[in-house]
Amino acid sequence: SAVISQKPSRDICQRGTSLTIQCQVDSQVTMMFWYRQQPGQSLTLIATANQGSEATYESGFVIDKFPISRPNLTFSTLTVSNMSPEDSSIYLCSVGKGGGGETQYFGPGTRLLVL
Amino acid sequence: SQQGEEDPQALSIQEGENATMNCSYKTSINNLQWYRQNSGRGLVHLILIRSNEREKHSGRLRVTLDTSKKSSSLLITASRAADTASYFCATDERGTYKYIFGTGTRLKVLA
């Protein structure tokens, strides 16, 4: 299994500002993923972050809005840039191992409210 | 984009009854996973079923997978009030390592 922590757990931000969310894993993992969960909705994959390469973004998400760093095998950050109220969501990181057949574990999430 | 559709969207049952949730997906998969989420908190992994498996059990949970119909079901037997949560299926499209989530089922178990 994997134990994942996220910081901050929640934040209230002003429109136009940026917030960086940190994700720390207790073991080395190949792949990390960032998801967004809008109020009352399911999870939507934002991007896949592999160590040593650029993040791969899903349709509808762009690097300028959601820059991601993956400096090592246990850590990643997601920045939500130039925020608007529509960015109010829970942001979750998750980890998995390549090759299939591996459980994907999730962090506790970061609750973001943009005013 | 979301791959999975779940039904029902919401389910309300009495404690002790069984709850069944269904998940349909669109493409070939390696694995399907079920998760529980309480009140917008983090996701708890319940069970993983591989594409070559048809049924798995874990405690009061029973999961089936029909790859020919591209569907899965989650059965919770003898439900408890503590089972009240949202349940999501997630599939990894064959050839990729990313999981795409279904729309979810909100389960309410009445004491």
Side-chain angles (χ1 to χ4, degrees), chain B residues 35-63:
Chain B
Y35 291 86
R36 183 184 74 227
Q37 185 180 41
N38 293 83
S39 302
R41 297 179 185 174
L43 273 76
V44 175
H45 179 263
L46 297 177
I47 201 163
L48 178 150
I49 187 166
R50 305 181 199 283
S51 60
N52 62 353
E53 298 175 315
R54 291 297 167 258
E55 187 171 313
K56 274 188 101 167
H57 297 256
S58 177
R60 294 184 296 112
L61 306 180
R62 173 179 168 249
V63 168

Side-chain angles (χ1 to χ4, degrees), chain B residues 24-82:
Chain B
S24 61
Y25 56 92
K26 297 176 183 175
T27 62
S28 296
I29 62 171
N30 289 319
N31 309 288
L32 185 146
Q33 306 197 59
W34 284 91
Y35 291 86
R36 183 184 74 227
Q37 185 180 41
N38 293 83
S39 302
R41 297 179 185 174
L43 273 76
V44 175
H45 179 263
L46 297 177
I47 201 163
L48 178 150
I49 187 166
R50 305 181 199 283
S51 60
N52 62 353
E53 298 175 315
R54 291 297 167 258
E55 187 171 313
K56 274 188 101 167
H57 297 256
S58 177
R60 294 184 296 112
L61 306 180
R62 173 179 168 249
V63 168
T64 63
L65 179 64
D66 187 336
T67 53
S68 66
K69 295 180 179 179
K70 292 186 170 57
S71 67
S72 174
S73 67
L74 169 67
L75 168 68
I76 304 173
T77 60
S79 63
R80 306 166 181 168

Side-chain angles (χ1 to χ4, degrees), chain B residues 6-24:
Chain B
E6 293 180 57
D7 77 274
Q9 290 186 337
L11 179 61
S12 185
I13 60 174
Q14 294 292 323
E15 204 167 30
E17 295 180 337
N18 296 342
T20 300
M21 289 158 266
N22 302 295
C23 167
S24 61

Side-chain angles (χ1 to χ4, degrees), chain B residues 84-97:
Chain B
T84 295
S86 292
Y87 291 82
F88 297 94
C89 68
T91 54
D92 63 339
E93 183 177 327
R94 192 181 294 278
T96 76
Y97 303 127

Side-chain angles (χ1 to χ4, degrees), chain A residues 9-115:
Chain A
S9 59
R10 60 178 63 223
D11 208 342
I12 301 173
C13 300
Q14 295 298 318
R15 180 196 300 262
T17 62
S18 298
L19 176 72
T20 295
I21 302 168
Q22 299 178 6
C23 178
Q24 180 76 50
V25 189
D26 68 342
S27 59
Q28 293 185 339
V29 293
T30 304
M31 310 184 79
M32 296 180 78
F33 306 88
W34 286 98
Y35 287 83
R36 179 177 74 182
Q37 186 176 28
Q38 294 176 302
Q41 303 297 313
S42 183
L43 281 74
T44 301
L45 181 63
I46 297 172
T48 302
N50 293 337
Q51 194 266 337
S53 63
E54 294 289 324
T56 302
Y57 289 83
E58 296 300 305
S59 176
F61 297 96
V62 295
I63 188 172
D64 290 346
K65 176 67 175 177
F66 297 101
I68 288 171
S69 77
R70 182 77 201 276
N72 57 52
L73 291 173
T74 63
F75 187 79
S76 178
T77 67
L78 169 76
T79 298
V80 186
S81 302
N82 188 25
M83 289 184 286
S84 67
E86 291 70 35
D87 294 319
S88 297
S89 296
I90 300 173
Y91 292 86
L92 302 104
C93 71
S94 70
V95 304
K97 298 176 185 176
E102 302 294 341
T103 300
Q104 192 173 46
Y105 298 96
F106 281 81
T110 295
R111 281 183 181 274
L112 172 62
L113 176 62
V114 184
L115 301 177

